[in-house]
Each structure stands twice: as structure tokens, then as C-alpha cells.
Amino acid sequence: MLTIAAGNTALQSVLPAIGRSLHVRDNAVAAAFSVSALLWVLAAPYWAARSDRQGRRAMILLGVGGFTVSLTLCGTFLLAGINGWIGGTAAFLLFIVGRLIYGTLGAAAPPAVQAIVAGRTTREERTKALTLLGSAFGLGTILGPAIAPYLLLGGIGAVTIGLSGPAFLFALFGAGMFVTVRRMLPDDRTEALLEEPGSHGAVNAYPSIGGQSSGASITAATALRSEAVGFLDPRVRAWMIAGLVFGHAQAMTGQAIGFLVIDRLHLPPTEALQPTGIVLMMGAGAALLVQWGLIPLLNLTPRWMMLVGLAIAAAGCALTGLATSLYGIATAYALASVGFGFTRPAFTAGSSLAVGPDAQGSVAGKVTSVNGASFVLGPSIGVGLYEAQHSLPYLVAGAACLVLAGYCWLVLRPASHRV
């Protein structure tokens, strides 16, 4: 889980620099991840259902294998572009083909991993064990951007590896993981049919910068029975709208941050990787501080968590768009991440508390879907606005959070439940 998430976000964090080095339009960089995220959202439910019939080990191998092949191809195409063997545009078009493999097959592994853990733990142990898996997945989205700047390789002879290094090195990690899974996990095609009810996995949201785990996937994986709840069900409709809006705001700002660091600090692409890593680490650390420290301490209701988070996120987004120094960008982005650190668990908890016990699995699935959908169009919208004016995605995201805060104040019902 950690390897799959870290590999994706590591590549995502260095791609702005690669795009600039190859003289590719910024919106093409965003499109590479939007297409991959779309395929992940579409394919994940299929793989989650198939793991119960085909065996969890087979689905993990498929997911890790797809991850490894995708990164190998992506690294090869980027290498060809960096060395001038093919043009930058051709390299990126082929890179997108590699990303299609990740989006289609990579989604097979997380629900299968969950199902294995669920099937080999008691009902009392299950939630704790799945939470640990979710933490690994979330930690991967933080570690990927943090270590990516240190994975640049010099070259072999006359061949320059450079910015394609993270793709190749994470492909090696993936290959090692594939061999480990194949040798250590037994074939479980008949075992899955004999497990107790509830021993299943659930869809995970697309691993992306700023896409920390919400816990909804764990709820969906532990739900025994589920009343069907639609996205427009009056009980959860306002929460779904809130999740979709702030999710797009977070995706817009996170995808554009690498370009902002390059342009505001006037750095060559290769020299922007470490400053970008610092900004992303501060953002991820701020979000974790909120989720692990402030939320338990403040004991707010989901409604107030959403309102406070949106106000802070609006200020942080606007300040990020106006910042001109590394210190300013990093602290402002961290402030925005603090806000989103409140809104994401508020969305999960508020949606859960709006329905009864029989609907928890269905609502959790909807929350995960909304979280994943935000990273389909969000990055492309953000980078498209960035190409028009560098501050625009951050100012638009801040304004959207303010408008959403007003909507939530009027529509979300006050509740006595606290998180």
C-alpha cells in the first residue's frame, strides 16, 4: 500500500520539472494524472468485486505488476525525451500511455490487500488492522514527494537519467514487492469463498498529493450490511456537495504547486525539486497535525470542523497564490493544508452521522468516490487556470471555499455528535 501510493505521488511531484525540461505545456502534465485518476475511479469498483472471485493474491499481483510496468514505461519514455531521442511532446504522449496502465491496473491491489487483512483478523481486530493499512497508504502520499528529489540519477555513459530516476527506482521497488508477494502469499482462490461475511475489501481513493486517507474506505470494508444511499439522498446531499467542492479546490492547488515554485522562485526545473519537496512536506505535516492532534483536542462537531476548515483553507489558498518566497509559499500552503485537514474528516464523519447503521457501507463508498473524483478534473482545472495567471487557481480555490462555507452554514444541520 505504501509503495503504490509513494510511487505515484513521487512521480507527480517531479513531473512539473520534467514537463518544463521537455518544453511541454503545463496542462499536458496535469492531463497525464487526470486520465490516470479517471481510470482508477472507474476500474477500482470492478477490481474490488473481482478479488472475491479470483483470489486476493492474484489481484495484488495484478496491481503491483501494473504499477511496476507503468513506472518502467514512464521512466523509459521520459528518458528518451530527456536524451533527445524523441521529441518532448512525443515523450509525454507515450508517458500518458504508461499512466493509463497504472490507472487501470494499480487500483486492483488496495482492496485485495484489505480483503486479506479482513479475512485473517477477528471482527474486533479488523478495524485496527485496516486503519494501519490506511495509514500506510496515506503515509505513501507523504513519503513519495519527500524522497523524490533524492532519487535523481546522473547517468550511465552518455545516457542521462536525471529526472526520470524516481520512476525507475520506484519500478525497482515495485518489482521487489511483486516477487515478495508471489513468494510469501499463498494462493487463496478457494479460501476467499470460505471466509466469514464482512471479510472483503473496498475501493481506495486515487493516491495523490493532498489526498490523505479519510477513513471511509475502512468503514466500507468493515460494513456487514448496507442500505443503498444515493449521492443526492437528502440526508447526505449537502455533505457530498461540500466534499466535491473542497476536494477540487485541494486538487487544483496541489497540482499547480510545483509550477508555482519554479516560476515564483525563478529556478531551473532540476533545482526546484527540493523546494517543492519542502512545500509538500510542510503541507502534509500540517494536515496530519490537524487530524492526529487538533481534531481530538478541540472535539468539534463535523459541521464546525467543516466551517473552520473552509475558512482556514480559503485564507491559505489565497496567501499561497500571492506568496513570492519559499518561506511564504511553504507557510501559506501549510495553512491551506491545515484547513483541508479539518474538512476531509468532517466530510467523512458528517456523512456517516447523517445516516443509520445499515447505510454506513454505502455512504462510505460514496465518500471515497467523491474523494477520488476530485482528482480527475481538479488537477487539469488548476493547471489550466495557472496557465492563464499564476495566482488564479489559488484565488479561485480560496473563493470557492468561502462560498462553500456560506452554503454549509445555511444547509448543514447543527448536530450534537463530535469527532
mmCIF file with all atom_site columns, all heavy atoms in Angstrom, residues 352-364:
data_model
loop_
_atom_site.group_PDB
_atom_site.id
_atom_site.type_symbol
_atom_site.label_atom_id
_atom_site.label_alt_id
_atom_site.label_comp_id
_atom_site.label_asym_id
_atom_site.label_entity_id
_atom_site.label_seq_id
_atom_site.pdbx_PDB_ins_code
_atom_site.Cartn_x
_atom_site.Cartn_y
_atom_site.Cartn_z
_atom_site.occupancy
_atom_site.B_iso_or_equiv
_atom_site.pdbx_formal_charge
_atom_site.auth_seq_id
_atom_site.auth_comp_id
_atom_site.auth_asym_id
_atom_site.auth_atom_id
_atom_site.pdbx_PDB_model_num
ATOM 1  N N   . SER A 1 352 ? -21.326 10.102 7.621  1.00 0.00 ? 352 SER A N   1
ATOM 2  C CA  . SER A 1 352 ? -21.607 8.893  8.387  1.00 0.00 ? 352 SER A CA  1
ATOM 3  C C   . SER A 1 352 ? -22.699 9.130  9.421  1.00 0.00 ? 352 SER A C   1
ATOM 4  O O   . SER A 1 352 ? -23.618 8.314  9.584  1.00 0.00 ? 352 SER A O   1
ATOM 5  C CB  . SER A 1 352 ? -20.321 8.413  9.079  1.00 0.00 ? 352 SER A CB  1
ATOM 6  O OG  . SER A 1 352 ? -20.580 7.328  9.932  1.00 0.00 ? 352 SER A OG  1
ATOM 7  N N   . LEU A 1 353 ? -22.621 10.261 10.123 1.00 0.00 ? 353 LEU A N   1
ATOM 8  C CA  . LEU A 1 353 ? -23.592 10.549 11.176 1.00 0.00 ? 353 LEU A CA  1
ATOM 9  C C   . LEU A 1 353 ? -24.970 10.902 10.626 1.00 0.00 ? 353 LEU A C   1
ATOM 10 O O   . LEU A 1 353 ? -25.958 10.903 11.362 1.00 0.00 ? 353 LEU A O   1
ATOM 11 C CB  . LEU A 1 353 ? -23.077 11.693 12.054 1.00 0.00 ? 353 LEU A CB  1
ATOM 12 C CG  . LEU A 1 353 ? -21.845 11.376 12.907 1.00 0.00 ? 353 LEU A CG  1
ATOM 13 C CD1 . LEU A 1 353 ? -21.322 12.624 13.571 1.00 0.00 ? 353 LEU A CD1 1
ATOM 14 C CD2 . LEU A 1 353 ? -22.173 10.311 13.939 1.00 0.00 ? 353 LEU A CD2 1
ATOM 15 N N   . ALA A 1 354 ? -25.046 11.219 9.332  1.00 0.00 ? 354 ALA A N   1
ATOM 16 C CA  . ALA A 1 354 ? -26.326 11.611 8.738  1.00 0.00 ? 354 ALA A CA  1
ATOM 17 C C   . ALA A 1 354 ? -27.230 10.426 8.462  1.00 0.00 ? 354 ALA A C   1
ATOM 18 O O   . ALA A 1 354 ? -28.417 10.598 8.184  1.00 0.00 ? 354 ALA A O   1
ATOM 19 C CB  . ALA A 1 354 ? -26.078 12.388 7.440  1.00 0.00 ? 354 ALA A CB  1
ATOM 20 N N   . VAL A 1 355 ? -26.684 9.192  8.514  1.00 0.00 ? 355 VAL A N   1
ATOM 21 C CA  . VAL A 1 355 ? -27.474 8.001  8.198  1.00 0.00 ? 355 VAL A CA  1
ATOM 22 C C   . VAL A 1 355 ? -27.360 6.995  9.333  1.00 0.00 ? 355 VAL A C   1
ATOM 23 O O   . VAL A 1 355 ? -26.524 7.126  10.228 1.00 0.00 ? 355 VAL A O   1
ATOM 24 C CB  . VAL A 1 355 ? -27.006 7.361  6.871  1.00 0.00 ? 355 VAL A CB  1
ATOM 25 C CG1 . VAL A 1 355 ? -27.193 8.321  5.713  1.00 0.00 ? 355 VAL A CG1 1
ATOM 26 C CG2 . VAL A 1 355 ? -25.540 6.917  6.967  1.00 0.00 ? 355 VAL A CG2 1
ATOM 27 N N   . GLY A 1 356 ? -28.185 5.962  9.269  1.00 0.00 ? 356 GLY A N   1
ATOM 28 C CA  . GLY A 1 356 ? -28.183 4.938  10.294 1.00 0.00 ? 356 GLY A CA  1
ATOM 29 C C   . GLY A 1 356 ? -27.144 3.861  10.065 1.00 0.00 ? 356 GLY A C   1
ATOM 30 O O   . GLY A 1 356 ? -26.421 3.869  9.065  1.00 0.00 ? 356 GLY A O   1
ATOM 31 N N   . PRO A 1 357 ? -27.073 2.885  10.983 1.00 0.00 ? 357 PRO A N   1
ATOM 32 C CA  . PRO A 1 357 ? -26.046 1.823  10.897 1.00 0.00 ? 357 PRO A CA  1
ATOM 33 C C   . PRO A 1 357 ? -26.119 1.007  9.609  1.00 0.00 ? 357 PRO A C   1
ATOM 34 O O   . PRO A 1 357 ? -25.085 0.600  9.078  1.00 0.00 ? 357 PRO A O   1
ATOM 35 C CB  . PRO A 1 357 ? -26.354 0.951  12.125 1.00 0.00 ? 357 PRO A CB  1
ATOM 36 C CG  . PRO A 1 357 ? -27.110 1.838  13.055 1.00 0.00 ? 357 PRO A CG  1
ATOM 37 C CD  . PRO A 1 357 ? -27.895 2.771  12.192 1.00 0.00 ? 357 PRO A CD  1
ATOM 38 N N   . ASP A 1 358 ? -27.315 0.773  9.086  1.00 0.00 ? 358 ASP A N   1
ATOM 39 C CA  . ASP A 1 358 ? -27.449 -0.069 7.897  1.00 0.00 ? 358 ASP A CA  1
ATOM 40 C C   . ASP A 1 358 ? -26.937 0.587  6.629  1.00 0.00 ? 358 ASP A C   1
ATOM 41 O O   . ASP A 1 358 ? -26.739 -0.085 5.615  1.00 0.00 ? 358 ASP A O   1
ATOM 42 C CB  . ASP A 1 358 ? -28.914 -0.454 7.691  1.00 0.00 ? 358 ASP A CB  1
ATOM 43 C CG  . ASP A 1 358 ? -29.403 -1.427 8.758  1.00 0.00 ? 358 ASP A CG  1
ATOM 44 O OD1 . ASP A 1 358 ? -28.551 -1.953 9.486  1.00 0.00 ? 358 ASP A OD1 1
ATOM 45 O OD2 . ASP A 1 358 ? -30.624 -1.633 8.860  1.00 0.00 ? 358 ASP A OD2 1
ATOM 46 N N   . ALA A 1 359 ? -26.729 1.902  6.665  1.00 0.00 ? 359 ALA A N   1
ATOM 47 C CA  . ALA A 1 359 ? -26.305 2.624  5.456  1.00 0.00 ? 359 ALA A CA  1
ATOM 48 C C   . ALA A 1 359 ? -24.842 3.015  5.493  1.00 0.00 ? 359 ALA A C   1
ATOM 49 O O   . ALA A 1 359 ? -24.365 3.694  4.570  1.00 0.00 ? 359 ALA A O   1
ATOM 50 C CB  . ALA A 1 359 ? -27.166 3.871  5.280  1.00 0.00 ? 359 ALA A CB  1
ATOM 51 N N   . GLN A 1 360 ? -24.100 2.599  6.507  1.00 0.00 ? 360 GLN A N   1
ATOM 52 C CA  . GLN A 1 360 ? -22.723 3.060  6.659  1.00 0.00 ? 360 GLN A CA  1
ATOM 53 C C   . GLN A 1 360 ? -21.825 2.638  5.496  1.00 0.00 ? 360 GLN A C   1
ATOM 54 O O   . GLN A 1 360 ? -21.022 3.414  4.988  1.00 0.00 ? 360 GLN A O   1
ATOM 55 C CB  . GLN A 1 360 ? -22.138 2.550  7.977  1.00 0.00 ? 360 GLN A CB  1
ATOM 56 C CG  . GLN A 1 360 ? -22.758 3.169  9.212  1.00 0.00 ? 360 GLN A CG  1
ATOM 57 C CD  . GLN A 1 360 ? -22.619 4.671  9.253  1.00 0.00 ? 360 GLN A CD  1
ATOM 58 O OE1 . GLN A 1 360 ? -21.535 5.216  9.034  1.00 0.00 ? 360 GLN A OE1 1
ATOM 59 N NE2 . GLN A 1 360 ? -23.718 5.369  9.505  1.00 0.00 ? 360 GLN A NE2 1
ATOM 60 N N   . GLY A 1 361 ? -21.954 1.410  5.049  1.00 0.00 ? 361 GLY A N   1
ATOM 61 C CA  . GLY A 1 361 ? -21.102 0.938  3.956  1.00 0.00 ? 361 GLY A CA  1
ATOM 62 C C   . GLY A 1 361 ? -21.358 1.693  2.668  1.00 0.00 ? 361 GLY A C   1
ATOM 63 O O   . GLY A 1 361 ? -20.429 2.080  1.960  1.00 0.00 ? 361 GLY A O   1
ATOM 64 N N   . SER A 1 362 ? -22.618 1.922  2.356  1.00 0.00 ? 362 SER A N   1
ATOM 65 C CA  . SER A 1 362 ? -22.971 2.640  1.125  1.00 0.00 ? 362 SER A CA  1
ATOM 66 C C   . SER A 1 362 ? -22.472 4.075  1.163  1.00 0.00 ? 362 SER A C   1
ATOM 67 O O   . SER A 1 362 ? -21.891 4.567  0.187  1.00 0.00 ? 362 SER A O   1
ATOM 68 C CB  . SER A 1 362 ? -24.488 2.605  0.924  1.00 0.00 ? 362 SER A CB  1
ATOM 69 O OG  . SER A 1 362 ? -24.860 3.320  -0.239 1.00 0.00 ? 362 SER A OG  1
ATOM 70 N N   . VAL A 1 363 ? -22.684 4.749  2.282  1.00 0.00 ? 363 VAL A N   1
ATOM 71 C CA  . VAL A 1 363 ? -22.240 6.146  2.395  1.00 0.00 ? 363 VAL A CA  1
ATOM 72 C C   . VAL A 1 363 ? -20.720 6.231  2.344  1.00 0.00 ? 363 VAL A C   1
ATOM 73 O O   . VAL A 1 363 ? -20.155 7.135  1.708  1.00 0.00 ? 363 VAL A O   1
ATOM 74 C CB  . VAL A 1 363 ? -22.788 6.778  3.693  1.00 0.00 ? 363 VAL A CB  1
ATOM 75 C CG1 . VAL A 1 363 ? -22.076 8.084  4.008  1.00 0.00 ? 363 VAL A CG1 1
ATOM 76 C CG2 . VAL A 1 363 ? -24.276 7.024  3.560  1.00 0.00 ? 363 VAL A CG2 1
ATOM 77 N N   . ALA A 1 364 ? -20.043 5.307  2.994  1.00 0.00 ? 364 ALA A N   1
ATOM 78 C CA  . ALA A 1 364 ? -18.577 5.309  2.951  1.00 0.00 ? 364 ALA A CA  1
ATOM 79 C C   . ALA A 1 364 ? -18.070 5.144  1.524  1.00 0.00 ? 364 ALA A C   1
ATOM 80 O O   . ALA A 1 364 ? -17.091 5.788  1.118  1.00 0.00 ? 364 ALA A O   1
ATOM 81 C CB  . ALA A 1 364 ? -18.021 4.197  3.843  1.00 0.00 ? 364 ALA A CB  1
#
